[in-house]
Amino acid sequence: MLYAIISEDVKDSLEKRQRARPDHLARLETLRDEGRLVIAGPHPAVDAENPGDGGFSGSLIIAEFDDLDAARAWADADPYVDAGVYAKVTVKPFKKVLP
């Protein structure tokens, strides 16, 4: 089943994000290579594709996991969690309707 992992950043998270980004992306690439990743990306903190020093306000990942517990465990092990990037992480089932 698909699950949405919706994360909200702490204030001024950009430096922490940059340090943990390679490990964060490696985990996402593994999901992609396994055919389980639907979409992943950050929410710019300003209305721009590249927010520069404005940084990001959070992230969204939609991926396939065996169950909610597995999705939560995966989200809890994110390098951004360990680096203190996220203030809050919500994991919930997701039903893709379109496209």
Side-chain angles (χ1 to χ4, degrees):
M1 180 165 183
L2 295 178
Y3 294 88
I5 301 170
I6 306 150
S7 307
E8 297 175 30
D9 282 21
V10 298
K11 185 175 173 150
D12 299 321
S13 63
L14 186 58
E15 186 177 318
K16 292 176 183 179
R17 269 183 173 269
Q18 290 170 334
R19 281 195 310 265
R21 189 169 190 263
D23 292 335
H24 172 77
L25 289 179
R27 294 180 81 234
L28 291 171
E29 289 166 353
T30 298
L31 283 180
R32 178 201 61 205
D33 294 348
E34 294 171 350
R36 298 170 43 206
L37 182 64
V38 174
I39 193 166
H43 300 284
V46 296
D47 190 11
E49 187 159 327
N50 182 356
D53 291 340
F56 300 92
S57 64
S59 300
L60 171 66
I61 299 167
I62 298 176
E64 183 179 340
F65 294 93
D66 289 336
D67 55 37
L68 184 57
D69 288 339
R72 284 184 177 144
W74 189 92
D76 288 345
D78 193 304
Y80 280 175
V81 172
D82 292 339
V85 172
Y86 294 147
K88 179 180 178 184
V89 177
T90 302
V91 180
K92 53 175 130 178
F94 178 81
K95 181 178 176 177
K96 183 178 176 184
V97 175
L98 292 170

